[in-house]
Amino acid sequence: MTSLRGNNGPRYRHDPGTSAPYETIRLDKLTPIIGAEISGVNLAEPIPNHQMEEIHRALAENSVIFFRDQDMTPEQHLAFGRNFGKLHLHPAAPHAPGHPELMIIKADANSTRANGEGWHSDVSCDEEPPMGSILYMKQTPPHGGDTLFASMYAAYEALSDRMKAYLEGLTAIHDGEDAYRGTYANLGVADKPVYPRAEHPVIRTHPVTGKKALFVNRGFTKRIVGLPRDESAAILSYLCSLAEDPLFQCRFRWQANSVAFWDNRCVQHRAMWDYWPHTRAGFRVTVAGDKPY
Ligand code: SIN
């Protein structure tokens, strides 16, 4: 099979950088590019400062981190999230009773849809999209229900220099209207009069790592500002397909009581609804973010 890139070498040359060894956690990478499983941490307890610094670093170095066998109450889940900033309120999705910051993630035999079935970065239509999302899975199907994560650093790095120069300074409109209107009606959630809409750079700079990441996704990005409609559609189609290249991905196989914590500023994700009629259920705490630049 011929390479799409011809003889230009690997699509993406990963620079692992230099990482000091971890002292308070054990870290096993899922791929060289994205994802790491962390052990030696109890998320239900207050986390000592040095261990918290290492969790922050593990997230910055791997973009999505995973924990197994956690036993958290809703309050402990929320408290873990608050270590990373203010919590974000979802503009549409249902939440656990009495906990507006605890989003319900659930699909079962009666569902007409499942959360996160298409590639997206959470609520990128917000003026200040969430920094990260912490999903705690309580019930898993016998097989399937994996979540895929893709590195938007890698997608950016894989662009040609000419394409990087073309995209620099461009902005795009992200709109929640199509994603949210009517989406939760069968769960008894009434629609809001309007859903968030925002303009963000096509290439954003991560505020912690300083690295550039592609920031357009099929879920929310509608058009690139200032381009003719057909050109915008063609460029967005190219960028979204590039973002979905399996080369930039890891795939997480859930067990009951696993936790995934992804950084929406440099990661897109997609949940697989391949387990109908079985049930997959958990809760998501989402950490607020700032205006992309
Ligand atoms: C989501 O937060 O987009 C859902 C992810 C999942 O259910 O795996």
Side-chain angles (χ1 to χ4, degrees):
M1 162 118 175
T2 333
S3 155
L4 288 176
R5 305 240 320 154
N7 294 329
N8 292 320
R11 174 164 236 183
Y12 172 60
R13 291 171 202 263
H14 179 61
D15 174 6
T18 48
S19 174
Y22 290 93
E23 291 168 355
T24 65
I25 57 176
R26 184 190 150 141
L27 184 140
D28 294 300
K29 280 181 174 288
L30 272 71
T31 78
I33 293 170
I34 179 169
E37 194 166 316
I38 291 180
S39 48
V41 183
N42 179 0
L43 302 183
E45 299 283 326
I47 297 178
N49 286 347
H50 187 35
Q51 193 169 55
M52 188 53 77
E53 282 161 22
E54 293 205 322
I55 293 172
H56 273 278
R57 178 155 70 85
L59 183 65
E61 290 178 356
N62 297 281
S63 305
V64 52
I65 51 181
F66 307 102
F67 305 84
R68 300 278 187 195
D69 302 320
Q70 298 295 320
D71 183 12
M72 290 187 287
T73 62
E75 289 74 18
Q76 288 164 333
H77 187 183
L78 291 161
F80 176 63
R82 286 195 187 96
N83 286 307
F84 299 87
K86 255 179 51 194
L87 300 184
H88 173 270
L89 290 178
H90 197 279
H95 57 77
H99 293 295
E101 297 132 323
L102 206 58
M103 176 177 164
I104 297 171
I105 300 285
K106 181 171 181 190
D108 62 17
N110 300 316
S111 299
T112 52
R113 61 177 297 279
N115 295 88
E117 278 182 271
W119 283 103
H120 65 289
S121 170
D122 288 325
V123 203
S124 71
C125 55
D126 260 0
E127 206 49 53
E128 297 186 337
M131 161 266 172
S133 304
I134 305 167
L135 178 53
Y136 180 32
M137 199 62 76
K138 294 302 293 174
Q139 188 177 351
T140 51
H143 305 285
D146 296 355
T147 307
L148 278 62
F149 297 91
S151 166
M152 294 303 105
Y153 294 139
Y156 171 75
E157 284 306 329
L159 295 169
S160 68
D161 289 343
R162 294 293 287 258
M163 183 56 94
K164 284 179 186 161
Y166 172 84
L167 296 175
E168 202 60 53
L170 288 178
T171 57
I173 302 298
H174 296 235
D175 197 335
E177 181 65 27
D178 293 346
Y180 297 140
R181 185 154 307 279
T183 297
Y184 300 101
N186 68 326
L187 300 175
V189 181
D191 268 319
K192 300 255 173 63
V194 284
Y195 287 108
R197 185 172 196 267
E199 183 173 338
H200 298 309
V202 170
I203 307 299
R204 74 181 290 184
T205 304
H206 194 288
V208 175
T209 64
K211 294 200 289 190
K212 289 186 178 181
L214 186 60
F215 197 63
V216 294
N217 65 82
R218 282 197 209 278
F220 295 105
T221 316
K222 298 299 169 197
R223 64 183 171 84
I224 300 180
V225 177
L227 298 187
R229 195 177 289 264
D230 56 350
E231 184 175 332
S232 162
I235 295 287
L236 278 180
S237 163
Y238 169 68
L239 295 177
C240 289
S241 335
L242 178 73
E244 294 161 11
D245 188 325
L247 185 59
F248 314 140
Q249 297 174 13
C250 69
R251 181 170 181 134
F252 186 59
R253 181 169 291 185
W254 293 93
Q255 297 161 355
N257 300 320
S258 300
V259 173
F261 184 177
W262 60 90
D263 185 333
N264 285 300
R265 300 167 296 189
C266 57
V267 170
Q268 288 190 36
H269 59 285
R270 179 189 166 164
M272 306 304 293
W273 191 21
D274 53 2
Y275 48 87
W276 188 90
H278 296 286
T279 301
R280 176 182 182 272
F283 293 102
R284 192 181 94 190
V285 167
T286 310
V287 183
D290 36 30
K291 178 87 188 134
Y293 59 90

